[in-house]
């Protein structure tokens, strides 16, 4: 965004236009961030956890209704055991340290994924914070943990089939782990890769995609605002023509 030299100016600009309701982020590049500094990968994850705090606060200040973060994929279970262990530890630490901050800011913590696979101490902490913050009305922070998009779709299809009715879009939606969240408007991926990597496959159907080369540990409020400003400059057509969209009254 040319001319937006300073974050508060950018914030004012972004606030003046319709915001995405639901933003999701594929937090990539912790390892590369660490490697570039001659640090172990775990140092990148630690800094990545700080970025989670920072970006959650920024999203809340901005006024997003929902922020969904890809913290651990189904496929991440295959990483070296010590790295998986370190990520689980960071997660528990995050949950313990942030509970008060979440409560104080009326942020509801939510989680999606095959949560039964999480180590018991992670699952228990997660449940405790979910329960404690359930009344949070300002924003929903969803952590995708042991998450896979195909796995979610299989789950949704199973729920739909078990309900005995016809398997249509509404029945599938009802079986998704994201049930109840606003439609996904903007999907961000950090660190240069241009893939969806099995994240929110159903939900991304009409989302705008935004890619940045910034590694996740370096992602901050300004980066979030740049992504939202980019979103605001696009015309979402949902399969209609530009003329039809204009006749319905613009971008929303
Ligand atoms: C991708 O970096 C990131 C992850 C696999 C995990 C994301 C985890 C965090 C941000 C920290 C803990 C989370 C919370 C919610 C406290 P990568 O390791 O794939 O990076 P690389 O592609 O550069 O190796």
């Amino acid at each position: 965004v040319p001319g937006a030299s300073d974050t508060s100016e950018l914030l004012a600009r972004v606030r003046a236009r319709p915001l995405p309701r639901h933003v999701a982020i594929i937090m990539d590049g912790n390892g590369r961030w660490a490697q570039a500094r001659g640090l172990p990968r775990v140092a990148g994850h630690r800094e990545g956890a700080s970025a989670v705090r920072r970006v959650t606060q920024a999203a809340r200040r901005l006024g997003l209704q929902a922020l969904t973060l890809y913290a651990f994929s189904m496929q991440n279970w295959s990483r070296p055991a010590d790295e998986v262990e370190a990520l689980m530890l960071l997660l528990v630490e995050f949950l313990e340290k942030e509970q008060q901050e979440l409560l104080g800011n009326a942020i509801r913590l939510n989680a999606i994924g095959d949560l039964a696979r999480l180590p018991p101490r992670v699952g228990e902490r997660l449940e405790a914070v979910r329960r404690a913050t359930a009344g949070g009305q300002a924003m929903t922070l969803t952590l995708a943990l042991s998450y896979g998009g195909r796995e979610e779709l299989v789950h949704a299809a199973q729920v739909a089939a078990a309900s005995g009715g016809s398997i249509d879009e509404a029945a599938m939606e009802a079986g998704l782990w994201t049930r109840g969240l606003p439609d996904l408007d903007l999907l961000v991926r950090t660190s240069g890769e241009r893939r969806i990597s099995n994240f929110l496959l159903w939900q991304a159907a009409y989302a705008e995609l935004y890619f940045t080369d910034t590694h996740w540990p370096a992602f901050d409020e300004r980066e979030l605002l740049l992504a939202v400003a980019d979103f605001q400059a696009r015309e979402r057509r949902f399969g209609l023509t530009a003329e039809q969209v204009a006749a319905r009254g613009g971008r929303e």
Side-chain angles (χ1 to χ4, degrees):
V1 179
S5 51
D6 129 88
T7 302
S8 57
E9 185 195 331
L10 183 57
L11 178 61
R13 197 118 60 88
V14 166
R15 276 220 177 108
R17 305 190 65 182
L19 290 171
R21 294 202 298 161
H22 184 177
V23 176
I25 307 180
I26 301 173
M27 309 184 287
D28 196 13
N30 292 351
R32 276 163 285 172
W33 182 91
Q35 196 175 24
R37 285 158 185 78
L39 298 169
R41 294 179 57 81
V42 169
H45 294 318
R46 181 163 294 284
E47 214 44 45
S50 299
V52 168
R53 286 184 195 105
R54 199 161 64 219
V55 172
T56 299
Q57 287 164 6
R60 166 72 173 85
R61 260 200 303 279
L62 179 59
L64 300 185
Q65 290 178 25
L67 176 68
T68 299
L69 302 176
Y70 204 177
F72 195 87
S73 72
M74 210 63 103
Q75 291 66 34
N76 285 154
W77 288 117
S78 307
R79 289 197 176 190
D82 59 338
E83 184 169 339
V84 171
E85 176 65 20
L87 281 166
M88 292 300 140
L89 210 62
L90 278 172
L91 199 58
V92 170
E93 232 178 80
F94 174 84
L95 293 168
E96 282 171 354
K97 285 197 192 151
E98 296 309 300
Q99 176 163 338
Q100 285 314 313
E101 184 78 13
L102 295 172
L103 273 172
N105 286 290
I107 298 171
R108 177 173 78 92
L109 183 88
N110 179 37
I112 55 173
D114 185 5
L115 305 176
R117 260 186 98 171
L118 294 169
R121 72 184 192 291
V122 180
E124 283 157 22
R125 243 3 275 161
L126 194 60
E127 246 336 280
V129 181
R130 276 218 278 193
R131 260 200 312 276
T133 62
Q137 296 281 338
M139 186 177 89
T140 300
L141 170 65
T142 301
L143 299 180
L145 296 167
S146 190
Y147 175 87
R150 288 184 176 177
E151 289 81 355
E152 182 182 27
L153 288 174
V154 170
H155 173 80
Q158 287 167 346
V159 169
S163 77
S166 61
I167 299 182
D168 52 15
E169 279 197 28
M172 287 290 289
E173 296 263 0
L176 292 174
W177 289 324
T178 52
R179 188 190 49 209
L181 290 175
D183 283 343
L184 182 63
D185 293 315
L186 173 62
L187 176 58
V188 174
R189 181 173 188 143
T190 63
S191 204
E193 244 67 70
R194 296 177 175 229
R195 292 190 285 273
I196 305 269
S197 296
N198 206 20
F199 193 41
L200 301 178
L201 295 178
W202 176 285
Q203 298 85 344
Y206 288 102
E208 295 292 331
L209 308 180
Y210 178 88
F211 301 99
T212 172
D213 289 338
T214 304
H215 298 316
W216 174 251
F219 198 90
D220 58 9
E221 175 170 36
R222 183 176 163 73
E223 293 278 345
L224 178 70
L225 293 174
L226 287 173
V228 172
D230 192 85
F231 167 89
Q232 290 173 325
R234 301 187 197 183
E235 178 188 61
R236 302 180 78 197
R237 295 212 297 264
F238 300 98
L240 304 178
T241 67
E243 291 71 25
Q244 286 175 306
V245 174
R248 291 158 127 225
R251 309 210 132 71
E252 284 299 277

